C-alpha cells in the first residue's frame, strides 16, 4: 500500500511564523485572560474554601457566607497582565494563609477541573493557530 502526500507541512516555517507573529505572547495573553476570568467567577460563585467561621459571617458588612467576597474588591481586582495575574496585595495573605486561613482563589491552583478547562481552551487556541498556518511558507 502506498501513501501519497498531497500537502507538505513546513515545520520550520511554522515555527518562524509563531516567533514573528508573536503567537507565544498571544497564547500567554489568552491563558492569563482565561485564568483571571475563571478566578473572578470562582470567588463570586462561593467556591473558595475553607468556609467562613460563623462569627466571621456575623461581623461581615454584606452578610454573605462566601469567603473573600464581602466587598467584592478582591474579585474585581483580578486582572490579566503580560507577566501573569495581578490582584490586590492582601490576596497574598489569603493565598499563603498568613494570619488568616489559607484560601486559594486562583482557580487553576485551587481546582483541577478549572485547570483542565483552561488548558483545553488554550490547546484549542494553539490548534487553531497551527491549522491556520500549516502548509504555508
Amino acid at each position: 500500500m502506498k501513501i501519497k502526500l498531497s500537502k507538505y507541512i513546513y515545520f520550520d516555517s511554522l515555527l518562524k511564523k509563531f516567533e514573528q507573529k508573536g503567537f507565544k505572547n498571544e497564547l500567554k495573553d489568552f491563558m492569563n485572560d482565561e485564568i483571571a476570568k475563571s478566578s473572578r467567577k470562582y470567588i463570586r460563585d462561593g467556591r473558595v474554601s475553607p468556609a467562613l467561621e460563623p462569627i466571621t459571617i456575623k461581623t461581615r458588612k454584606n452578610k454573605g457566607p462566601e469567603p473573600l467576597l464581602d466587598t467584592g474588591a478582591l474579585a474585581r481586582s483580578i486582572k490579566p497582565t503580560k507577566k501573569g495575574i495581578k490582584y490586590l496585595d492582601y490576596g497574598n495573605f489569603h493565598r499563603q494563609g498568613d494570619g488568616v486561613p489559607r484560601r486559594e482563589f486562583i482557580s487553576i491552583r485551587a481546582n483541577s477541573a478549572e485547570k483542565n478547562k483552561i488548558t483545553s481552551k488554550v490547546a484549542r487556541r494553539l490548534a487553531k493557530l497551527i491549522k491556520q498556518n500549516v502548509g504555508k511558507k
Side-chain angles (χ1 to χ4, degrees):
M1 179 166 115
K2 289 185 179 182
I3 298 174
K4 184 177 178 183
L5 293 176
S6 59
K7 192 171 195 176
Y8 293 97
I9 300 174
Y10 300 101
F11 288 107
D12 286 339
S13 299
L14 181 63
L15 291 174
K16 285 179 188 172
K17 280 185 182 188
F18 267 57
E19 289 173 9
Q20 291 169 353
K21 294 184 177 183
F23 289 147
K24 178 181 172 184
N25 290 334
E26 181 181 332
L27 284 172
K28 277 177 34 180
D29 292 347
F30 178 76
M31 186 167 83
N32 290 338
D33 187 54
E34 289 296 320
I35 292 168
K37 284 191 293 191
S38 173
S39 297
R40 288 190 299 267
K41 185 174 178 354
Y42 194 74
I43 293 173
R44 288 184 183 127
D45 288 351
R47 296 173 60 199
V48 177
S49 63
L52 295 176
E53 296 291 327
I55 190 71
T56 304
I57 295 171
K58 286 181 185 178
T59 61
R60 294 184 81 177
K61 293 177 187 171
N62 298 318
K63 306 294 183 213
E66 298 86 2
L68 306 181
L69 193 59
D70 189 26
T71 66
L74 181 60
R76 284 191 308 275
S77 76
I78 300 172
K79 305 274 192 252
T81 69
K82 295 288 182 194
K83 293 182 180 181
I85 305 299
K86 72 175 185 175
Y87 46 85
L88 291 172
D89 289 341
Y90 74 84
N92 285 327
F93 295 119
H94 290 285
R95 291 188 72 207
Q96 296 164 5
D98 188 6
V100 294
R102 185 180 182 282
R103 290 187 170 97
E104 181 59 75
F105 58 88
I106 301 298
S107 61
I108 63 165
R109 300 265 190 224
N111 186 286
S112 61
E114 287 298 317
K115 181 179 180 178
N116 292 340
K117 190 187 314 182
I118 291 169
T119 302
S120 293
K121 285 182 178 182
V122 172
R124 285 192 302 272
R125 182 70 159 249
L126 176 59
K128 182 179 176 182
L129 289 171
I130 290 171
K131 190 174 184 176
Q132 289 171 343
N133 289 279
V134 88
K136 298 178 181 177
K137 279 192 169 186

